[in-house]
């Protein structure tokens, strides 16, 4: 039985791909399925993937004929995955060599749907731990699961493994064709998980690639990124409201409507789970109401 299916969306990361793949094929846990989705890369990524496939028959390659983004790529991987658990890794990142072994056996020990490790952000000459666990801890309460994973500030999908049957049962898939697709996926996964176990002393290394989708800074891209980021926030707020979760409004805000005059923002309405606020010039809060303005 395959213990973990690792899904890697790949797009124009030839400078980093080998380091990523080396950290996967050399994992101490050997019962892996490695699903690489080439999202119509225009560089040397596909050649690198085929080179590694010759060395390791656990690697499966899906070739997309047009670029459709990480959400679509990850869903394609989910559709063919056979592992007991699912792990995701971005093709410019890497993990400790015992990363998946420790996550898997912690998940099995507690029969958890989700196991979580710390992650480290690297780039711009700085290294910063976004999460860092000192002890192995198990959480079952919804608020405790959200707090332990720091879901509000760190909705990272790649420092976790997820039981595959659990994802299928709850129809947890990736939103397609947008940025910031991880927010709703991770929120649903943490919410529905029977339990979440935090595992110390292993790390997922997130590299701040200057050419990644979130760091590309063309005007068209920036507009779409801002739009999609707000849509993702709205989707999370709607989900929390639907489930009647009692989180403080101050933790979750998204833009609802904006009123402009000659390109200048006069008023902006922001929404949260239970409240809305009207802002003058988009920054000065005028009043807050429970419900809708």
């Amino acid at each position: 039985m395959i213990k973990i299916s690792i899904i890697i969306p790949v797009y124009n990361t030839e400078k980093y791909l080998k380091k990523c793949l080396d950290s996967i094929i050399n994992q101490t846990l050997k019962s892996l399925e490695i699903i690489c989705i080439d999202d119509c890369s225009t560089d040397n990524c596909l050649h690198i993937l085929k080179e590694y496939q010759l060395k390791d028959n656990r690697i499966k390659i899906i070739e997309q004929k047009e670029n459709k983004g990480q959400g679509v790529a990850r869903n394609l991987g989910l559709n063919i995955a056979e592992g007991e658990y699912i792990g995701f890794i971005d093709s410019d990142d890497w993990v400790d060599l015992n990363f998946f072994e420790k996550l898997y056996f912690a998940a099995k020990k507690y029969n958890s749907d989700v196991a979580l490790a710390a992650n480290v952000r690297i780039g711009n000459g700085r290294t910063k731990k976004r999460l860092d666990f000192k002890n192995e801890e198990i959480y079952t309460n919804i608020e405790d699961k959200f707090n332990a994973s720091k879901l509000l500030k760190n909705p990272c999908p790649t420092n976790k493994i997820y039981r595959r049957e659990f994802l299928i049962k709850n129809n947890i898939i990736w939103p397609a064709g947008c940025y910031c697709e991880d927010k709703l996926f991770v929120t649903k996964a943490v919410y529905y998980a029977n339990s979440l176990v935090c595992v110390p002393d292993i790390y997922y290394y997130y590299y701040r690639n200057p050419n990644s989708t979130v760091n590309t800074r063309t005007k068209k891209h920036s507009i779409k990124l801002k739009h999609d980021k707000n849509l993702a926030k709205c989707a999370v707020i709607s989900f929390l409201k639907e489930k009647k979760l009692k989180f403080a409004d101050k933790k979750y805000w998204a833009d609802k409507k904006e009123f402009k005059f000659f390109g200048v923002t006069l008023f902006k309405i922001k929404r949260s789970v239970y409240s809305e606020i009207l802002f003058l010039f988009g920054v000065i809060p005028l009043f807050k109401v429970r419900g809708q303005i």
Side-chain angles (χ1 to χ4, degrees):
M1 182 182 68
I2 298 170
K3 291 182 169 63
I4 301 180
S5 296
I6 301 171
I7 297 172
I8 311 174
V10 179
Y11 180 67
N12 288 357
T13 52
E14 63 178 357
K15 289 171 60 177
Y16 318 102
L17 182 56
K18 289 185 178 182
K19 184 171 186 176
C20 172
L21 292 173
D22 284 338
S23 78
I24 300 301
I25 65 174
N26 293 305
Q27 285 289 302
T28 53
L29 184 68
K30 300 304 179 185
S31 181
L32 302 176
E33 174 184 47
I34 305 165
I35 303 172
C36 302
I37 303 93
D38 181 69
D39 197 18
C40 199
S41 296
T42 57
D43 62 4
N44 204 35
C45 280
L46 185 57
H47 175 78
I48 294 171
L49 291 177
K50 290 180 177 180
E51 174 188 316
Y52 271 74
Q53 188 180 46
L54 292 175
K55 298 188 293 184
D56 194 321
N57 61 12
R58 296 175 298 173
I59 293 176
K60 300 178 180 178
I61 301 173
I62 299 175
E63 296 181 43
Q64 295 219 103
K65 299 307 179 184
E66 59 179 291
N67 179 252
K68 295 185 178 181
Q70 287 189 330
V72 171
R74 287 169 173 160
N75 286 335
L76 283 172
L78 278 173
N79 288 340
I80 68 167
E82 299 178 6
E84 183 182 2
Y85 282 81
I86 302 291
F88 300 97
I89 183 169
D90 291 340
S91 58
D92 46 6
D93 299 339
W94 65 96
V95 292
D96 286 334
L97 296 184
N98 59 348
F99 183 82
F100 287 107
E101 179 179 24
K102 293 194 71 173
L103 284 180
Y104 177 79
F105 284 107
K108 294 294 286 184
K109 176 180 177 181
Y110 297 101
N111 190 33
S112 293
D113 287 330
V114 178
L116 164 69
N119 56 349
V120 179
R121 185 174 65 184
I122 297 174
N124 299 327
R126 292 177 294 178
T127 299
K128 181 179 180 181
K129 290 181 180 179
R130 301 297 298 272
L131 287 173
D132 193 18
F133 304 117
K134 304 301 182 186
N135 301 295
E136 188 173 276
E137 301 282 354
I138 182 78
Y139 300 95
T140 56
N141 175 272
I142 291 175
E143 187 171 357
D144 290 342
K145 289 187 294 180
F146 275 53
N147 289 336
S149 57
K150 295 187 179 178
L151 196 59
L152 174 63
K153 294 184 177 181
N154 192 54
C156 177
T158 49
N159 62 337
K160 304 171 180 68
I161 61 170
Y162 313 82
R163 198 194 312 264
R164 182 167 62 90
E165 289 184 358
F166 148 78
L167 294 178
I168 294 170
K169 176 183 176 182
N170 293 286
N171 193 32
I172 302 174
I173 59 174
W174 295 88
C178 60
Y179 301 127
C180 305
E181 70 285 341
D182 50 359
K183 293 183 184 298
L184 186 59
F185 179 93
V186 179
T187 299
K188 286 184 174 182
V190 172
Y191 172 82
Y192 285 115
N194 65 349
S195 63
L196 178 141
V197 56
C198 298
V199 185
D201 303 323
I202 49 171
Y203 296 96
Y204 180 98
Y205 300 93
Y206 162 63
Y207 177 62
R208 288 180 58 84
N209 182 353
N211 299 313
S212 71
T213 53
V214 295
N215 288 320
T216 304
R217 284 293 177 260
T218 65
K219 182 178 181 180
K220 180 179 179 181
H221 175 274
S222 296
I223 291 172
K224 178 170 173 56
L225 179 61
K226 181 180 179 182
H227 175 265
D228 287 359
K229 186 179 292 186
N230 193 65
L231 279 184
K233 291 178 180 178
C234 288
V236 168
I237 287 170
S238 295
F239 178 79
L240 297 177
K241 188 173 183 178
E242 173 193 334
K243 300 303 180 183
K244 297 181 171 57
L245 299 183
K246 304 298 184 181
F247 292 111
D249 270 350
K250 64 182 180 181
K251 292 185 177 182
Y252 296 92
W253 290 100
D255 293 343
K256 177 182 177 181
K257 192 175 292 186
E258 191 171 6
F259 304 91
K260 291 187 175 184
F261 185 73
F262 289 105
V264 177
T265 298
L266 296 181
F267 298 99
K268 179 184 286 188
I269 298 174
K270 286 181 173 284
R271 62 170 293 210
S272 185
V273 183
Y274 300 106
S275 305
E276 292 187 356
I277 296 181
L278 180 66
F279 288 84
L280 178 65
F281 305 125
V283 293
I284 303 172
L286 294 181
F287 61 86
K288 176 180 178 179
V289 299
R290 296 280 290 183
Q292 295 186 335
I293 294 176

